[in-house]
Amino acid sequence: MIDIKKEIERDRRAFIKKVLGGSIAGSLLLVLPAGAVDIAEQIPGMREEKAVFTAKRFAFVVDITACIGCGSCCVADKAEYNVPDGHYRTWVERYIIDDHDNVFVDCPDGGLHGYIRAREGLPHPTRDTFFVPKLCNMCEKPSCVQVCPVGATYQTKDGFVLVDKTRCVGCSYCIQACPYSVRFISPATHTAEKCTWCYHRVRKGLLPACVEVCPVHARKFGDLNDKNSEVYKILHEPHVISVLKPDMGNKPALHYVGLRREVV
Amino acid sequence: MSGAMQHGDTILALTNYVFPNDVYVHWSLMIVLYPYITGIVAGAFIVSSLYHVFGIRELQPISRFSLVFALAFLCCATWPLLLHLGHPERALNMFLTPNPTSAMAGFGYIYSAYLILLVHEILFIYRPTMVGLWMNSTGIPRKLYAFLSFYNDNLSDEAMKLDHKIINFLAGLGIPMACILHGYVGFIFGGIKANPLWATPLMPVIFLLSACVSGISGIIFSYILIRKVTGKPIDVTCIRTSLKFLWGFFILDFVFEMLEVFSHFYMSTHHWHVLESLLWGPLYTTYWLLQVKIFSLIPFFLLGAVCLIKFKDRVVLFVAPIVSLMILIQVLLMRWNVVIGGQLMSNSTRGQVSFVPEWLGREGILAAVVVMAAPVVILFLLGKIFPFWMSEEPKDS
């Protein structure tokens, strides 16, 4: 009888110990910073102690010969930023050229659901079709920064164009000034919003969300001052490369491989 | 911000591609009214300067009224902007922490400088009147008139000469400032290279000329209306002279507006192909039919007839309010076509959206009516303090 009592007593102790241990471990997991979960550095050199972010010159390259219009980038972007419906930080356009040289472009829901069905109702047989992902051009001479009356839209020393929503007055002047229509007024904050090339991720050595999820590697990102980076190599090799609306003089840091003359 | 159309619309999708963020018209009714109001202010000031600086004596009856008229509208110039801003509580930041490269950031400074100048010019011009009212009133009005006379009842020849010098200086300074105020508003649009309708160096010029036109029309219309309603005689010589100036400015305004379109048509660059689809697309009715054919050509010929043919006074007095009201509408249509029209083209250059203003809401039609009615109420109140017409001045004791 006494033995049985001892046994129960021991089990109870063990039980309480286990509950306590579990609680402590669980709490620790909650309070430990997410950084403790080790994600390998995706942009070389960003986490070095001596890394100077202002010495970087980032570029984005979109290979439209590779894009399959799956919409993964749009999904990742929407998830990363909780982008309100009907507004777009990034989108994927579908271009169709028929054998009469007519150009048809569409982009239902910003390409968020992917182009799983062929476009119907076109008058002539299709000659060619391709997809063009769009996002902030991170211009070297950004019109939005030029016109913002309060400096809420600004350019960082490493070339990113960002919006400080605590300063934005919501005048929409930047939206009028952007030749690429990448900006919108957030219905939640009443301030201007746009793609940031995932600045918060890049500063931690991670690739922009859309680049990371692209299954065909159509979106590429890197430092042009790093001669080993893929973007450096692409921009210094004899590819067909262009930027959007070069006549605007904004000098975009977003480059397109295989850009077609039909693309605006 | 108003929704224009649902993106992905099946009909538009086939031939028309609009960038997904371009389906919204961000600058709506309030930004139509903003240049309209500042234009009326600048134009009304020019009328006053024609008398005070350029010595057009026939305009003397409306020279003081036009300044008070300008002030009434200037008081409300910021209202549409505040109604438009997503964060109006941060509006003063444009003034306190301006971005020097932004055209919009200059507004606070230009507006304040102009307001200070206009108020001072009114006070100096009205000083003899204010002193007279100060001497002949009691209680609170007496204190108010004393304040408005700078607590100085010296009306000696020497003092009046000094006043006159100051008035001339302020009126002279006011002309370039009125031009800057409105030319600058034109530049807010003209400096936007992304928009083919706006990006033209002619934009500040067209805005300035249309400002003069709307100001003169506003003065003619309200002068005749107020005099009729209050049963006072109308100075027909003054009206005839004003109509001549109106015609002159309107010729320049209308010709520049048409030259701008014609130049683009003649050069026929890609720029024009985008504009063509807009002007003959969603803007056809408000631009070609209303702005050009009805509210420009008809007043243009009416004004020409009134200025060139010696009509009887009652004919002039019949035509003048009609023609000035039509030109006021023309300028409002011009503002609409520039501000709204410019946003109906997508940056994709492949499609347009349509826009119907909402009735309620901060930027709705109702708010626009209130904003446009406010200067009239303010003008009425200002008229209680500053007598519009010389004949109403009390005899100086």
Side-chain angles (χ1 to χ4, degrees):
Chain A
M1 194 65 189
I2 294 163
D3 287 350
I4 293 169
K5 272 187 178 175
K6 273 186 181 170
E7 198 66 23
I8 291 170
E9 201 73 3
R10 207 175 53 143
D11 274 2
R12 194 175 286 156
R13 268 189 202 148
F15 174 73
I16 290 168
K17 270 183 189 169
K18 277 178 185 166
V19 167
L20 268 175
S23 307
I24 291 165
S27 311
L28 272 177
L29 267 179
L30 283 176
V31 295
L32 276 176
V37 181
D38 194 32
I39 301 174
E41 186 181 63
Q42 295 170 334
I43 306 169
M46 284 300 285
R47 291 183 189 166
E48 282 171 17
E49 266 185 39
K50 287 179 185 171
V52 182
F53 74 93
T54 51
K56 309 279 182 194
R57 195 159 64 90
F58 289 105
F60 206 113
V61 174
V62 172
D63 185 350
I64 65 167
T65 62
C67 180
I68 55 169
C70 67
S72 303
C73 46
C74 303
V75 173
D77 187 73
K78 200 167 172 68
E80 185 78 17
Y81 297 99
N82 199 14
V83 183
D85 288 343
H87 302 276
Y88 304 90
R89 282 171 166 247
T90 184
W91 65 94
V92 179
E93 296 166 353
R94 171 169 62 182
Y95 279 70
I96 296 171
I97 303 169
D98 70 13
D99 63 4
H100 282 58
D101 293 337
N102 296 313
V103 181
F104 299 94
V105 191
D106 69 346
C107 182
D109 291 322
L112 189 70
H113 310 298
Y115 292 91
I116 43 179
R117 276 187 210 92
R119 187 165 167 172
E120 290 169 1
L122 298 183
H124 304 290
T126 298
R127 168 161 70 80
D128 195 7
T129 183
F130 53 92
F131 301 100
V132 181
K134 295 276 182 77
L135 62 157
C136 180
N137 283 247
M138 289 300 167
C139 310
E140 194 185 318
K141 295 184 180 300
S143 312
C144 51
V145 173
Q146 184 184 33
V147 301
C148 177
V150 292
T153 285
Y154 60 100
Q155 201 168 20
T156 64
K157 285 180 177 170
D158 42 353
F160 286 72
V161 176
L162 304 174
V163 185
D164 182 348
K165 66 179 174 188
T166 63
R167 293 191 65 79
C168 176
V169 292
C171 67
S172 312
Y173 204 12
C174 54
I175 295 172
Q176 310 293 356
C178 175
Y180 307 102
S181 295
V182 300
R183 290 173 161 257
F184 58 89
I185 292 284
S186 163
T189 60
H190 304 292
T191 56
E193 209 176 299
K194 70 165 193 77
C195 158
T196 59
W197 284 9
C198 287
Y199 191 57
H200 61 296
R201 289 174 58 91
V202 172
R203 285 295 293 274
K204 286 178 179 162
L206 301 176
L207 287 169
C210 58
V211 175
E212 193 174 358
V213 299
C214 181
V216 290
H217 203 46
R219 292 183 180 232
K220 307 163 206 290
F221 179 83
D223 177 14
L224 286 181
N225 286 342
D226 174 6
K227 292 190 176 177
N228 294 318
S229 70
E230 188 183 7
V231 290
Y232 177 88
K233 286 175 184 163
I234 291 173
L235 293 183
H236 290 82
E237 282 168 8
H239 291 284
V240 176
I241 293 169
S242 189
V243 294
L244 294 172
K245 300 188 179 182
D247 296 348
M248 284 289 158
N250 280 29
K251 298 190 175 176
L254 166 65
H255 304 264
Y256 284 88
V257 172
L259 191 68
R260 307 276 297 260
R261 65 183 174 141
E262 292 85 2
V263 179
V264 177
Chain B
M1 191 172 75
S2 306
M5 56 153 259
Q6 195 55 49
H7 189 67
D9 187 294
T10 45
I11 302 162
L12 286 171
L14 196 64
T15 51
N16 241 350
Y17 173 61
V18 172
F19 281 151
N21 289 325
D22 276 351
V23 294
Y24 302 99
V25 170
H26 290 92
W27 284 1
S28 63
L29 272 187
M30 287 302 143
I31 306 299
V32 173
L33 292 189
Y34 159 61
Y36 190 53
I37 291 176
T38 54
I40 289 174
V41 172
F45 189 89
I46 300 285
V47 174
S48 168
S49 297
L50 285 173
Y51 168 71
H52 287 293
V53 182
F54 297 105
I56 313 292
R57 301 212 62 80
E58 292 86 348
L59 296 181
Q60 198 223 13
I62 52 172
S63 66
R64 296 199 325 181
F65 168 66
S66 54
L67 285 177
V68 183
F69 184 87
L71 181 63
F73 277 86
L74 194 62
C75 289
C76 305
T78 54
W79 295 16
L81 296 180
L82 290 172
L83 281 166
H84 161 72
L85 287 185
H87 283 274
E89 78 280 6
R90 297 175 188 165
L92 267 184
N93 288 358
M94 289 195 202
F95 202 64
L96 303 172
T97 55
N99 173 15
T101 62
S102 168
M104 197 180 274
F107 177 74
Y109 296 99
I110 294 173
Y111 172 83
S112 321
Y114 191 66
L115 183 67
I116 291 166
L117 180 132
L118 185 60
V119 168
H120 278 84
E121 183 166 353
I122 288 174
L123 290 179
F124 274 103
I125 284 177
Y126 270 92
R127 208 174 68 83
T129 314
M130 292 294 109
V131 171
L133 288 164
W134 173 15
M135 295 305 153
N136 294 324
S137 55
T138 52
I140 296 172
R142 187 177 169 83
K143 282 179 184 163
L144 177 71
Y145 287 124
F147 174 73
L148 293 175
S149 331
F150 304 100
Y151 296 102
N152 187 335
D153 61 354
N154 184 358
L155 294 179
S156 65
D157 284 350
E158 208 178 334
M160 292 315 293
K161 267 185 191 163
L162 179 66
D163 274 16
H164 196 69
K165 270 187 188 169
I166 294 172
I167 290 165
N168 272 355
F169 172 75
L170 289 176
L173 186 65
I175 298 168
M177 279 189 68
C179 293
I180 288 171
L181 176 72
H182 210 68
Y184 152 81
V185 174
F187 180 74
I188 285 186
F189 296 94
I192 297 299
K193 63 182 170 188
N195 193 312
L197 186 71
W198 296 348
T200 160
L202 265 186
M203 195 55 85
V205 181
I206 294 173
F207 262 66
L208 192 55
L209 289 168
S210 61
C212 296
V213 160
S214 66
I216 301 171
S217 305
I219 295 290
I220 295 175
F221 184 75
S222 53
Y223 171 69
I224 295 176
L225 188 73
I226 295 172
R227 300 295 283 190
K228 282 260 184 208
V229 169
T230 53
K232 293 196 175 81
I234 296 165
D235 188 328
V236 184
T237 319
C238 170
I239 294 295
R240 283 183 193 274
T241 311
S242 308
L243 287 174
K244 276 182 188 155
F245 277 102
L246 180 59
W247 193 42
F249 277 113
F250 191 58
I251 289 171
L252 290 174
D253 178 36
F254 186 51
V255 165
F256 270 111
E257 279 176 19
M258 291 297 103
L259 269 179
E260 210 265 325
V261 176
F262 179 76
S263 305
H264 283 310
F265 157 73
Y266 193 78
M267 292 185 288
S268 261
T269 58
H270 180 64
H271 191 109
W272 170 250
H273 301 301
V274 178
L275 280 190
E276 194 180 15
S277 58
L278 174 77
L279 296 178
W280 274 269
L283 227 52
Y284 184 81
T285 309
T286 53
Y287 184 72
W288 289 118
L289 183 65
L290 295 175
Q291 187 190 323
V292 176
K293 288 180 187 167
I294 296 178
F295 289 100
S296 291
L297 289 176
I298 295 175
F300 189 87
F301 289 114
L302 274 178
L303 275 172
V306 172
C307 292
L308 297 174
I309 304 168
K310 184 85 182 147
F311 283 114
K312 285 178 183 162
D313 283 0
R314 60 188 174 85
V315 177
V316 174
L317 287 182
F318 177 74
V319 173
I322 295 173
V323 93
S324 48
L325 186 63
M326 285 188 88
I327 289 189
L328 278 171
I329 296 170
Q330 191 268 358
V331 177
L332 185 61
L333 281 164
M334 179 265 186
R335 307 288 190 245
W336 170 280
N337 288 328
V338 169
V339 176
I340 305 292
Q343 296 170 85
L344 298 184
M345 306 172 286
S346 172
N347 279 330
S348 70
T349 71
R350 281 196 162 89
Q352 296 104 29
V353 293
S354 57
F355 172 72
V356 179
E358 54 185 7
W359 277 96
L360 303 171
R362 277 170 64 191
E363 295 193 68
I365 295 170
L366 199 64
V369 171
V370 171
V371 167
M372 283 316 290
V376 180
V377 177
I378 293 173
L379 183 65
F380 175 77
L381 296 175
L382 283 174
K384 298 279 170 202
I385 302 167
F386 300 99
F388 295 149
W389 328 112
M390 296 286 189
S391 55
E392 284 171 15
E393 280 183 31
K395 291 279 173 284
D396 191 3
S397 56

